[in-house]
Every structure is written in C-alpha cells, then in structure tokens.
C-alpha cells in the first residue's frame, strides 16, 4: 500500500490556562495521500483549526504544547524538526489558507511584496523573478490585470479578491500539501463556487494534496475524497465521502446531516442538535457527546435501572445509558473502511481498534460538453446532497 504524504498519529495538544490545563486535540489520527482531498468537519470549537495549526507547529508555546503523537510528512516527523527546518517546510512544502484573509495579510505592505517575499525565501530567486512569479500566481487564480494588483494594498480589494490573493500566496511555491482552513467563510455563494473550482483545477494540474477544514457539508460533498468528523477534540467518525453521506454511523454525524436542508425536502423548521460543544476545560466524563445524544436517550428508555443514569443538559434532566456517561468509546473500524466511536453501533465492541487510513478518490465520470467532447467530472451524490463539481453542471 502506498505511503501517505501526511500521517498524523495520535496527536495530543495541551494549553496551560489560568483555569488549569486543557486539551483541545486528543488522540487525533489523520492520513492524507498524494493528490487526495481530506475534509476535517465539525462545529466551531471542536479542535479542527488547532489540529491544522499543530501540523505546521504554529501553536504558540507557551501556553500550547505537544503532549504526544507524531506528524509524519514526506518521511519526516515535523515535531522533531528545528525551527529553522520548519521554516523551510512552511510555505514551501506545506502551505495554509487561513480563515480570514484580512487578518492574515499585512495591511502596510503591497500584495506583490507579500507574495514575492515567500517566493524569494523558498525558491531562492532574486526580487525581480519573485515579482514575476507573484504576478503569474495572481493570473493563475483568475485575477485580472495582475501587474496592477501587485501594487495594491489589501484594503483596496474585495473579500473574494483577498481570498484569491491568499490562495495565490499559498500556491506560489507549489506546495505538496495545502491546508485550507474555512477557505470560503464569509464569501457569497458565487465567489465560494469560484474559489472551490479554482482549488480543484490547481489540484488537478499540480497533484497537490488538500486538508479541507470546514463545517459546510455542501462543500465537503463537492470536494472531499475522505471525511473525518471531529467532536470535542477527537475524531469520532472517518470514512470515504460516499460512505459517510450514505451511511453515517455516529449520532453526531447524523445530527449534522439532519440540520442541513435537502434537495426535494419539505420542512417548516430544520432540526438542530441541542446544547453546544463542551468547553475543553470542562469536558464531561464518558462519551463527550452523551449530554446531546438522542441515541443514548432512546436506548435508556428500554434499559434496566442499573444500566441508566440521570443527568442534566440543555436546560433539562433526562436519562442516558450509564456506559455512555462513564466510558469514552475508542475509534473502531465498525465496517470495512469506516471508523466510528459509539457504544451503540451494532457490533461495536467486537470491531477492531485501528487507525483510519484510506487511499480513496471520489468517482470520476466522463460528461459530454459542447461539441460532443468529453471531460472528466467528479461527482458525489450522497444522502440528498447532489454535487457535480467539474464546473458548468450542478443541481
């Protein structure tokens, strides 16, 4: 089996705070193969961005620190590299698109200065060559009149334009891995579609891998090959995009799907998951989702008195299974190529404890375009999400 480009193995991150130590990332394992797009999904506060920042060792220390695990990239454990060695990795081999471009771009430097700085650092070219590469990078992301735009400042551009600049900066050095942290947040749907199509196009041309961090399941359906669902600092489900959308196993994943409008569906009000993601400083015992879990509530109704416990959550008191409230489940391969962490999955206790590792690509089918020619189009039709992500055709 080919080796993954990136393998995060049992990563644990801690922060020392005034209220005591917290662990926003616990036992996270993720693998990304060359040319693959892996999505990291979950509500705000579940640990997605901290995981991404930890890969590039951008967590400030103190207060942050690595408590355990490995981050193997292209045969090297990034956690053991010196800061000088990491500077050659950041931007050159692994690039990152941050959530909000206005806070990531320096307001007192021109766009050209900021892109050319990264190019000259990692590609060892002179300043003139750096600006030529920067100009071409802007053209690659669809920015017209790139030469003039190089002389502009961030505040002179729209939100979509700044996001394109961030992508141009990230891709100017042709990284092997792109970490895209909410790359379309706060963008309107038209610009969002353009940005995502741009990333797909550049991925096809360069063969780079993408770690896509998002809470938008529509974006996941259109772009991901493999999906990892995070909740309360851990991965609670991992599968191919088709398998996850067709047969979600964890009740949290099911709740995410129920909260999204479906094609052809008719509801007066969307369902929500009661409560909120728990504070890492006050994680509940047992399964971290049990105070919000409808599955354990339903199971407790028919269980014996020794098997249940009464708890308070979301402004009410209710009964849950005792094992859910006291014993945190491990991530197990509950089906072939499908991992989940829930006591109430059929056959869960007999399923093996293994690390998710999927060299999977979404289905590609030929689609006719004008003139009778055919072009490859990636497609994922899953659980009411229909996404044709090749460009012109969508429904």
């Amino acid at each position: 089996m080919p080796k993954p480009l990136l393998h995060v193995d049992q990563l644990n991150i801690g922060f020392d705070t005034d209220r005591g130590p917290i662990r926003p990332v616990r036992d996270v394992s993720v693998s990304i193969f060359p040319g693959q797009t892996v999505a990291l999904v979950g509500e705000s506060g579940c640990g997605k961005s901290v995981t991404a920042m930890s890969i590039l060792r951008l967590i400030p220390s103190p207060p942050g620190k690595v408590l355990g695990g490995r981050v193997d990239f292209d045969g090297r454990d990034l956690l053991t590299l010196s800061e000088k060695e990491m500077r050659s990795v950041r931007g050159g081999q692994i690039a990152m698109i941050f959530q909000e471009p206005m806070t990531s771009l320096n307001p007192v430097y021109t766009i050209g200065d900021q892109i050319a700085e990264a190019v000259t650092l990692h590609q060892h070219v002179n300043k003139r060559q750096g600006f030529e590469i920067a100009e071409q990078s802007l053209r690659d992301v669809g920015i017209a009149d790139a030469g003039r735009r190089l002389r502009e400042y961030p505040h002179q551009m729209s939100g979509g334009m700044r996001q394109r600049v961030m992508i141009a900066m990230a891709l100017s050095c042709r990284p092997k891995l792109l970490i895209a942290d909410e790359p379309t947040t706060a963008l309107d749907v038209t610009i969002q579609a353009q940005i995502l199509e741009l990333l797909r196009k550049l991925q096809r041309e360069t063969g780079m891998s993408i770690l896509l961090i998002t809470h938008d399941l529509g974006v996941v359906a259109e772009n991901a090959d493999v999906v990892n669902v995070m909740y309360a600092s851990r991965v609670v489900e991992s599968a191919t995009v088709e398998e996850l959308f067709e047969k979600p196993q964890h009740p949290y994943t099911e709740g995410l799907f129920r909260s999204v409008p479906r094609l052809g569906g008719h509801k007066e009000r969307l369902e929500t998951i009661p409560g909120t993601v728990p504070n890492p400083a006050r994680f509940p015992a047992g399964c971290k989702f049990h105070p919000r879990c409808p599955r354990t509530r339903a199971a407790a109704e028919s269980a014996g008195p020794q098997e249940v416990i009464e708890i308070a959550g979301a402004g009410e008191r209710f009964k849950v299974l005792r094992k859910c409230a006291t014993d945190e489940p491990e991530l197990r391969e509950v089906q072939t190529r499908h991992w989940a962490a829930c006591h109430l999955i059929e056959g869960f206790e007999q399923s093996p404890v293994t690390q998710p590792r999927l060299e999977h690509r979404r289905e590609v089918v030929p689609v006719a375009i004008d003139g009778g020619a055919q072009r490859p189009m990636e497609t994922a039709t899953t659980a009411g999400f229909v996404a044709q992500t090749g460009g012109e055709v969508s429904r």
Side-chain angles (χ1 to χ4, degrees):
M1 182 177 181
K3 291 184 178 180
L5 175 67
L6 175 75
H7 177 57
V8 179
D9 182 12
Q10 295 291 302
L11 181 65
N12 286 270
I13 302 296
F15 285 89
D16 292 324
T17 71
D18 294 339
R19 299 182 179 182
I22 63 172
R23 291 176 60 191
V25 174
R26 297 181 302 128
D27 301 323
V28 169
S29 295
V30 176
S31 291
I32 306 176
F33 287 83
Q36 188 181 55
T37 298
V38 174
L40 204 54
V41 182
E43 293 172 275
S44 296
C46 68
K48 307 186 301 296
S49 294
V50 175
T51 299
M53 300 281 278
S54 300
I55 292 173
L56 283 172
R57 286 175 48 188
L58 293 176
I59 300 296
S61 178
K65 57 185 175 182
V66 177
L67 300 178
R70 295 174 59 91
V71 178
D72 291 320
F73 175 76
D74 208 14
R76 295 189 296 174
D77 182 4
L78 299 184
L79 300 183
T80 65
L81 300 185
S82 66
E83 183 58 29
K84 181 179 180 180
E85 291 173 316
M86 276 304 302
R87 282 198 294 269
S88 68
V89 173
R90 299 186 193 113
Q93 299 178 54
I94 304 177
M96 186 166 182
I97 303 172
F98 295 92
Q99 286 191 33
E100 176 47 58
M102 196 59 193
T103 61
S104 302
L105 294 169
N106 194 318
V108 301
Y109 287 95
T110 65
I111 296 301
D113 287 332
Q114 296 183 63
I115 299 178
E117 179 185 23
V119 173
T120 55
L121 175 64
H122 293 290
Q123 297 194 29
H124 306 293
V125 297
N126 59 40
K127 188 174 182 180
R128 181 182 61 79
Q129 293 172 319
F131 271 86
E132 290 174 353
I133 294 173
E135 184 173 348
Q136 183 58 48
S137 296
L138 292 184
R139 291 197 188 98
D140 290 342
V141 298
I143 293 180
D145 198 3
R148 178 174 64 87
R149 293 294 188 180
L150 285 176
R151 298 188 296 272
E152 293 185 348
Y153 292 86
H155 71 273
Q156 296 176 276
M157 295 183 169
S158 66
M161 193 74 75
R162 288 194 295 266
Q163 193 69 297
R164 287 172 182 263
V165 168
M166 288 296 299
I167 294 174
M169 187 182 301
L171 300 181
S172 60
C173 297
R174 295 293 186 258
K176 295 180 180 179
L177 172 65
L178 175 67
I179 301 175
D181 190 359
E182 303 281 7
T184 58
T185 295
L187 299 181
D188 62 67
V189 292
T190 302
I191 299 299
Q192 172 177 297
Q194 293 173 356
I195 294 295
L196 293 174
E197 174 58 26
L198 172 64
L199 290 179
R200 288 190 293 268
K201 175 178 177 291
L202 294 174
Q203 184 179 39
R204 289 193 297 268
E205 293 175 351
T206 65
M208 70 178 177
S209 303
I210 298 177
L211 176 59
L212 179 63
I213 300 172
T214 183
H215 58 261
D216 188 331
L217 293 175
V219 170
V220 172
E222 291 179 357
N223 296 274
D225 300 311
V226 173
V227 186
N228 294 277
V229 181
M230 284 192 74
Y231 183 78
S233 75
R234 291 184 67 208
V235 173
V236 297
E237 187 160 6
S238 179
T240 67
V241 63
E242 297 88 354
E243 181 71 18
L244 187 90
F245 277 63
E246 291 286 351
K247 301 175 183 177
Q249 297 294 314
H250 197 279
Y252 176 62
T253 310
E254 292 176 341
L256 292 178
F257 287 136
R258 285 196 300 268
S259 66
V260 177
R262 305 295 180 85
L263 289 174
H266 299 280
K267 287 186 178 182
E268 293 185 3
R269 187 178 182 87
L270 293 174
E271 296 185 40
T272 61
I273 303 174
T276 59
V277 177
N279 187 323
R282 297 188 297 274
F283 276 148
C287 173
K288 304 301 179 273
F289 188 61
H290 81 265
R292 309 173 69 189
C293 180
R295 189 180 293 179
T296 189
R297 291 197 200 190
E301 292 179 358
S302 58
Q306 299 301 317
E307 298 178 283
V308 301
I309 186 173
E310 187 174 79
I311 66 170
E316 60 177 329
R317 297 194 66 83
F318 50 88
K319 293 180 179 180
V320 299
L321 291 183
R322 185 178 296 275
K323 65 179 177 181
C324 294
T326 59
D327 182 17
E328 186 167 24
E330 296 180 279
L331 190 67
R332 295 175 179 265
E333 191 171 1
V334 295
Q335 295 180 1
T336 303
R337 292 157 53 90
H338 196 146
W339 290 258
C342 175
H343 292 300
L344 300 182
I345 297 173
E346 184 178 356
F348 178 75
E349 301 300 335
Q350 290 73 44
S351 300
V353 178
T354 59
Q355 287 192 11
R357 186 175 290 200
L358 291 168
E359 191 196 6
H360 172 75
R361 302 294 187 279
R362 59 198 297 115
E363 182 183 359
V364 179
V365 296
V367 176
I369 58 176
D370 292 342
Q374 290 189 335
R375 60 175 286 188
M377 179 172 286
E378 301 172 5
T379 175
T381 304
T382 46
F385 291 83
V386 181
Q388 308 263 355
T389 64
E392 294 96 4
V393 181
S394 63
R395 60 185 176 91

